Amino acid sequence: MSDYDTIVVGGGISGLLSALTLAKKGNSILLLEKTDALGGNCRTYEPLDFPGWRVDTGVHAITELLYGPLNQLKQYFDPGKFPIFRRHNDYYIRKKYGLEKFPSTLPSFLKMDALPAKDRLMLAGDLLNTLISRAIFGVKEKAVYDVISKHEFSRKTMQFVDALSYLLSGLSMKKTSVSRLLEGSGFSSCGKRGIIRRIMEMAKLFNNSGYRSQGYPLGGIQSITDGVIGSFPKNVEYHTRQEVLKIEQDEKGFCVSTPEVDYFSDRVVYSGEVKRLPAIIEMPVKWSRQVKELEQATAMTVWLGLKEPMPEFNYNGSEVFFDVCDTDKEVFYWLMPVPELSPRNKSLIGVSTIIDPKNCHDSKEKLLNTIYSLVPALEKNTEMIHTQIMAPEKAAVSLNYFPSIKTPVNGLYVVGTDTDMRSMGITRAGYSVLELLKHY
Ligand SMILES: Cc1cc2nc3c(=O)[nH]c(=O)nc-3n(C[C@H](O)[C@H](O)[C@H](O)COP(=O)(O)OP(=O)(O)OC[C@H]3O[C@@H](n4cnc5c(N)ncnc54)[C@H](O)[C@@H]3O)c2cc1C
């Protein structure tokens, strides 16, 4: 006899949403999380050395709030538990003299003066060509670099496209697929669509409103995690500090083992890194080899606590800067002010960039020097610096293989940001849970 209908391994947002939705459908659930807190990369916490300040696990804006997966999963939250989102307004490009609005439509891109006019025209041509051929012939996957390298673009334009690729996939333009760039920037949606729908989608080039349905949860990113935990019905049991080291299957079901206890269930939903699953349960060799190839990006986020709010960061949205760093590598930075997490009358900004984890000893200094050189008054106004190094997603969307929710082992499912390619981060985790529900 199994103890539970389903055991969920991992208590990040994908594991938590799996537990919530399956429990509300009547399944008895056990969730096991190896660290001492639920939420994974979806948390807000007080840095130990800076009491009074709070920071998120990375700089966050949640995508597709109007029609995306969180909206569809809202029905599983208890009344009043679903977070309230403030709108995340515009994206900007920071330059030496201030901010320029980041274009979200083709006409605004053609007017953007950060890039040479000739390059803008050719890039717009590439965009149109790609969308038209996708609409008519469907998706033929290519790297962004392979599409644009036939032109002789300026270094600045190449940096811009690379920065956009890093922002949307966590990988360079040589590894980022064109689909990722188009879907991430809202010009095309994932999934199977007929030719008429695909052609109609091209209207987004002129009015990209879906791209704008983004928000930031009031109370920090933790409010999403708290909303899920607060909605757990009685048939969810969860334990922290319980790492699952082994899973075995026999004809009666699964045995899920932590160092102290063996638990039994009919099904297992695994929400840790898929590429680590073959070390926990025996999987077919081909599948294990495929998931081992999944690439992961590493991000560094530096949170700066400001003694007082600054006019330079008095906007609702976020900014990128990509052509201002003193390195020869194309690097992008993404910055977002999050005033609601700071103590009263102070302010907070978070800056993230992609780093090479094997060679990042001076990344923090470079990041700080870059932002201080752009906004010199910032250095003297900073009283708190807190650094995080994390993987934004368990697998970056590249040209590689991506696993699906159903594994080759009957009754064993995988969810999270390495199991669904749509959108980003928490929205992507949400899509994977909606996919899981189709199997229950
Ligand atoms: C800098 C940065 C910026 C970001 N910006 C955004 C953004 O703007 N918008 C957005 O939507 N998202 C963003 N994200 C990403 C988002 O936070 C994550 O993708 C999402 O939270 C991942 O959820 P998950 O459940 O798939 O994985 P995780 O959060 O990694 O959860 C997995 C959990 O499983 C646990 N676990 C693993 N193995 C075991 C085991 N064997 N036994 C028990 N427990 C186990 C882990 O401890 C962890 O708690 C950002 C992230 C970063 C770092």
Side-chain angles (χ1 to χ4, degrees):
M1 281 288 283
S2 296
D3 302 323
Y4 305 92
D5 292 325
T6 299
I7 293 179
V8 177
V9 181
I13 194 63
S14 57
L16 292 172
L17 283 168
S18 304
L20 172 69
T21 51
L22 297 180
K24 291 243 167 154
K25 281 175 171 284
N27 294 269
S28 59
I29 304 289
L30 171 69
L31 181 144
L32 300 168
E33 164 57 43
K34 68 178 176 186
T35 67
D36 54 7
L38 295 179
N41 260 354
C42 187
R43 288 188 305 116
T44 309
Y45 63 92
E46 199 174 274
L48 282 178
D49 38 355
F50 292 103
W53 291 91
R54 289 195 311 141
V55 296
D56 286 327
T57 46
V59 178
H60 276 88
I62 311 301
T63 52
E64 298 187 29
L65 282 174
L66 280 183
Y67 308 107
L70 276 191
N71 195 36
Q72 293 172 55
L73 294 167
K74 192 175 174 177
Q75 55 173 308
Y76 295 95
F77 285 67
D78 282 356
K81 299 287 185 200
F82 192 74
I84 298 170
F85 290 88
R86 71 157 151 84
R87 217 179 109 158
H88 173 272
N89 276 354
D90 290 305
Y91 285 92
Y92 300 90
I93 299 176
R94 183 167 291 273
K95 301 203 248 157
K96 298 267 178 212
Y97 57 81
L99 298 172
E100 180 181 340
K101 233 186 205 180
F102 200 88
S104 64
T105 63
L106 191 60
S108 56
F109 173 71
L110 286 168
K111 284 190 214 135
M112 166 187 163
D113 71 7
L115 302 179
K118 181 178 116 264
D119 292 5
R120 273 181 272 149
L121 270 176
M122 284 196 288
L123 270 179
D126 279 344
L127 180 63
L128 269 172
N129 271 339
T130 312
L131 280 172
I132 291 169
S133 72
R134 278 165 67 96
I136 297 172
F137 304 111
V139 177
K140 284 202 191 75
E141 216 44 278
K142 262 187 175 180
V144 173
Y145 179 80
D146 292 339
V147 174
I148 65 161
S149 58
K150 58 183 186 277
H151 308 297
E152 285 205 356
F153 282 138
S154 66
R155 180 176 149 75
K156 207 171 184 181
T157 302
M158 293 304 263
Q159 274 185 324
F160 172 78
V161 180
D162 216 21
L164 209 57
S165 303
Y166 275 115
L167 176 68
L168 295 173
S169 83
L171 298 177
S172 74
M173 60 182 164
K174 287 191 176 156
K175 291 185 168 178
T176 300
S177 66
V178 170
S179 298
R180 181 58 174 175
L181 209 71
L182 295 176
E183 281 151 22
S185 48
F187 289 126
S188 171
S189 24
C190 208
K192 290 198 174 93
R193 281 168 191 266
I195 185 165
I196 306 286
R197 291 273 300 276
R198 294 205 298 259
I199 289 173
M200 278 167 61
E201 242 189 20
M202 289 178 60
K204 287 184 178 173
L205 284 172
F206 302 92
N207 177 17
N208 199 350
S209 57
Y211 166 73
R212 301 196 159 273
S213 81
Q214 300 195 17
Y216 177 77
L218 297 182
I221 214 75
Q222 181 76 37
S223 63
I224 306 179
T225 293
D226 288 347
V228 179
I229 300 169
S231 304
F232 276 165
K234 286 204 175 72
N235 46 335
V236 179
E237 181 185 329
Y238 60 86
H239 301 291
T240 52
R241 293 189 203 161
Q242 293 225 6
E243 179 170 6
V244 171
L245 298 178
K246 200 169 179 193
I247 305 175
E248 284 170 304
Q249 188 189 31
D250 64 16
E251 64 283 357
K252 288 189 229 121
F254 290 91
C255 172
V256 176
S257 307
T258 65
E260 288 91 27
V261 193
D262 289 342
Y263 299 100
F264 298 91
S265 65
D266 295 337
R267 302 197 215 191
V268 171
V269 174
Y270 174 84
S271 77
E273 284 173 47
V274 174
K275 66 178 168 195
R276 294 190 194 277
L277 189 55
I280 298 178
I281 178 169
E282 204 176 321
M283 299 296 286
V285 176
K286 187 178 169 206
W287 191 87
S288 306
R289 211 180 290 134
Q290 281 173 321
V291 298
K292 220 173 149 197
E293 299 298 312
L294 289 173
E295 281 195 79
Q296 197 174 62
T298 306
M300 174 183 277
T301 301
V302 175
W303 288 99
L304 300 175
L306 313 186
K307 291 176 200 159
E308 52 188 47
M310 295 175 69
E312 286 85 346
F313 303 109
N314 187 17
Y315 59 84
N316 172 3
S318 52
E319 61 177 89
V320 289
F321 33 104
F322 59 94
D323 60 344
V324 285
C325 44
D326 48 5
T327 65
D328 52 358
K329 256 184 93 199
E330 283 79 6
V331 190
F332 92 93
Y333 301 90
W334 180 36
L335 181 149
M336 191 169 150
V338 191
E340 43 280 84
L341 293 185
S342 68
R344 246 184 112 154
N345 299 328
K346 307 208 173 198
S347 198
L348 180 74
I349 60 172
V351 198
S352 291
T353 189
I354 297 292
I355 56 163
D356 173 359
K358 292 192 196 110
N359 185 19
C360 66
H361 56 280
D362 57 351
S363 302
K364 181 178 166 189
E365 281 67 37
K366 273 187 187 152
L367 197 155
L368 285 173
N369 286 342
T370 306
I371 174 85
Y372 290 157
S373 75
L374 284 169
V375 186
L378 187 61
E379 190 165 5
K380 279 206 170 120
N381 193 25
T382 300
E383 69 172 53
M384 188 280 293
I385 299 182
H386 177 72
T387 309
Q388 302 162 333
I389 295 183
M390 289 175 296
E393 285 163 334
K394 289 179 284 193
V397 176
S398 59
L399 297 159
N400 285 342
Y401 155 89
F402 230 67
S404 62
I405 304 299
K406 210 167 175 307
T407 72
V409 174
N410 209 8
L412 172 67
Y413 303 92
V414 286
V415 289
T417 49
D418 44 2
T419 64
D420 201 301
M421 283 207 251
R422 286 170 283 179
S423 198
M424 321 207 184
I426 287 159
T427 306
R428 202 200 293 189
Y431 271 124
S432 74
V433 175
L434 286 177
E435 257 339 278
L436 172 75
L437 293 180
K438 292 183 187 163
H439 297 279
Y440 269 76

